Amino acid sequence: MAKKDAPPRWDRRMQQRLARGEAAALGECYDRFASLVHGLAHRVLGDEEAADGITREVFVHVWEHPESYDPKQVPLRSWIAMLTHRLAVQRLHAAGTAALAQGGQGTPEDLERRVRQASIAARADFIVTSMPVPLRAALERAYFQRRDYRQTAVDLDIEEEEARRRLRLGLQLLSTAHEAAPSGVPPEAGEAW
């Protein structure tokens, strides 16, 4: 059995391959995480073109600074999501600040509220897409299909108590979207997460 603190093998190997400058590693990383990056960036920015730009920035950063990722600290997926979130929030904040400086509507407080709401929404999306399929399936039925735990149990062919447990755990995970960066995450990786 692997040590509890050993990072997942794929993450460790990917970091090593990127550090050696293997272009194929970047391609694999892009194939695996591009939709996550683009989706999170779009959720924060609400703009397809801006999300495309953040996606490029994230993978350029991954390519140029593979040493900034430490597989012992956080999974690669989470690190890339945090990097995406930080860059997207910075862009949203910069664009809002520039608009205010040019006489745009709103106040700095309105801008901070928009940035915070976008940040929470992006974290919530990441949490939902990262949670185990059984929890996500239960939450999707409860939220999108307006099913209660009894109906969810029937839909998923599980006991009612198991449906309640899945919904409770899924909601507990989702409630962490309002919290700050997870412990153990380096400040530069999670400062806006």
Side-chain angles (χ1 to χ4, degrees):
M1 182 163 220
K3 287 184 191 176
K4 189 174 184 178
D5 62 347
R9 186 175 295 158
W10 189 88
D11 290 355
R12 194 174 59 247
R13 284 188 183 151
M14 180 57 66
Q15 194 275 338
Q16 292 166 348
R17 291 176 62 204
L18 288 165
R20 286 192 302 263
E22 289 184 31
L26 181 63
E28 286 177 41
C29 194
Y30 182 87
D31 289 346
R32 184 174 256 190
F33 300 119
S35 63
L36 167 71
V37 169
H38 191 273
L40 287 174
H42 191 273
R43 179 70 166 162
V44 171
L45 299 167
D47 180 299
E48 191 74 25
E49 203 170 301
D52 290 344
I54 293 295
T55 302
R56 282 189 299 277
E57 284 183 50
V58 166
F59 288 102
V60 165
H61 180 85
V62 167
W63 178 248
E64 292 178 348
H65 305 285
E67 74 287 348
S68 64
Y69 168 61
D70 182 356
K72 294 176 188 164
Q73 293 290 321
V74 65
L76 183 58
R77 177 185 176 86
S78 296
W79 180 75
I80 287 175
M82 288 182 287
L83 177 61
T84 303
H85 180 265
R86 183 172 45 112
L87 293 173
V89 166
Q90 286 172 351
R91 175 143 333 150
L92 179 64
H93 198 271
T97 301
L100 285 175
Q102 294 177 353
Q105 292 187 1
T107 65
E109 292 79 19
D110 293 337
L111 173 60
E112 290 304 317
R113 190 173 18 264
R114 272 191 20 241
V115 168
R116 177 136 175 82
Q117 287 171 341
S119 181
I120 290 169
R123 282 196 305 264
D125 283 352
F126 176 71
I127 290 167
V128 170
T129 61
S130 298
M131 69 178 48
V133 173
L135 298 182
R136 188 171 58 240
L139 280 181
E140 286 172 349
R141 279 173 177 73
Y143 184 76
F144 293 114
Q145 297 174 14
R146 305 271 190 223
R147 313 290 277 168
D148 65 19
Y149 75 93
R150 288 184 179 105
Q151 295 164 323
T152 298
V154 170
D155 290 350
L156 298 176
D157 195 28
I158 57 175
E159 297 293 322
E160 287 182 3
E161 209 40 52
E162 177 62 13
R164 287 174 60 151
R165 187 190 69 75
R166 289 180 187 182
L167 288 169
R168 184 174 45 251
L169 184 55
L171 289 172
Q172 286 172 343
L173 287 170
L174 197 51
S175 73
T176 64
H178 289 276
E179 296 175 4
S183 61
V185 176
E188 68 278 359
E191 67 188 28
W193 193 252

